[in-house]
Amino acid sequence: MFSRLSSAISAALVLALLAAVPASAAEAYRVDGLPRGETLSIRETPDAAAPALGQAPVGARLRGFGCTADTPSGLTWCRVKAGPILGWARRRYLSPE
């Protein structure tokens, strides 16, 4: 029982620390490197098979909130915000500003 309580407290602490990160910690990206006429899909989860929540054209500015390669494909995806849309985009198409 102590182990479960300790795990729950640890998880709550991690969530509280993540919530306390200032908005300025977000990274700024521009959509880049897509084939002509293509848009970048912002997906529900970091997986190309996940539903698309929206699209971002080449040159669009996105806010990034961290990247991970711990994905089904092993490719790197970043948590991004494009206007009101919060989802995941392939890191390959994001250039730091």
Side-chain angles (χ1 to χ4, degrees):
M1 174 154 158
F2 178 75
S3 165
R4 279 192 221 159
L5 180 59
S6 176
S7 293
I9 291 171
S10 294
L13 180 60
V14 167
L15 288 175
L17 289 173
L18 288 174
V21 173
S24 62
E27 298 175 68
Y29 291 110
R30 288 247 181 231
V31 177
D32 189 27
L34 289 166
R36 178 177 220 120
E38 295 287 322
T39 57
L40 179 63
S41 294
I42 309 297
R43 300 199 177 271
E44 191 174 283
T45 60
D47 187 342
L53 302 173
Q55 304 292 320
V58 171
R61 187 170 189 261
L62 308 178
R63 289 179 49 197
F65 302 95
C67 300
T68 183
D70 186 15
T71 63
S73 63
L75 299 172
T76 302
W77 290 74
C78 299
R79 185 82 163 152
V80 296
K81 183 166 180 152
I85 300 169
L86 180 62
W88 293 89
R90 283 279 313 277
R91 174 65 180 92
R92 173 182 180 180
Y93 303 111
L94 301 174
S95 293
E97 282 198 320

